[in-house]
Amino acid sequence: MEDELILYSVNAIRSMEVIDISTGCKLGYTKDYKIDINEQKITAILLAGATKGWFSKEDDIEIPWEKVIKIGVDVLLVDASGIELNLDENKI
């Protein structure tokens, strides 16, 4: 039962919340993906960066697909250790 292959659509993954397992911090929601066309696989997920002001924001956060630990029903668990996140401290 553990070895069952579970498939998710790209849109289903996009609506999942991303959580860092090393800190328990909520990182946000998947904004976009980097896809290797030749290999036909996702290479990284992109999260929206924190906003700095009315019209500007930080660069997107890129998390390599290898850092994705588990995909649950409504959450994506990642190991973001070693990745500079620049999260908005006021965000809940």
Side-chain angles (χ1 to χ4, degrees), residues 26-73:
K26 296 177 183 180
L27 303 179
Y29 292 88
T30 304
K31 175 183 174 185
D32 210 349
Y33 310 94
K34 278 193 173 180
I35 298 175
D36 183 347
I37 300 298
N38 296 325
E39 294 290 323
Q40 300 175 352
K41 66 180 185 176
I42 298 173
T43 59
I45 58 173
L46 300 173
L47 308 176
T51 56
K52 290 193 285 187
W54 284 88
F55 300 108
S56 62
K57 65 178 183 86
E58 293 287 328
D59 292 332
D60 292 339
I61 300 166
E62 183 175 333
I63 300 176
W65 188 253
E66 296 81 33
K67 294 281 193 170
V68 175
I69 304 300
K70 181 86 172 166
I71 301 174
V73 176

Side-chain angles (χ1 to χ4, degrees), residues 5 11 21 23 25 28-29 38 43 51 75 79 84-85 91:
L5 179 63
N11 281 336
I21 62 166
T23 63
C25 182
Y29 292 88
N38 296 325
T43 59
T51 56
V75 77
D79 179 12
E84 187 166 332
L85 297 174
K91 187 177 175 182

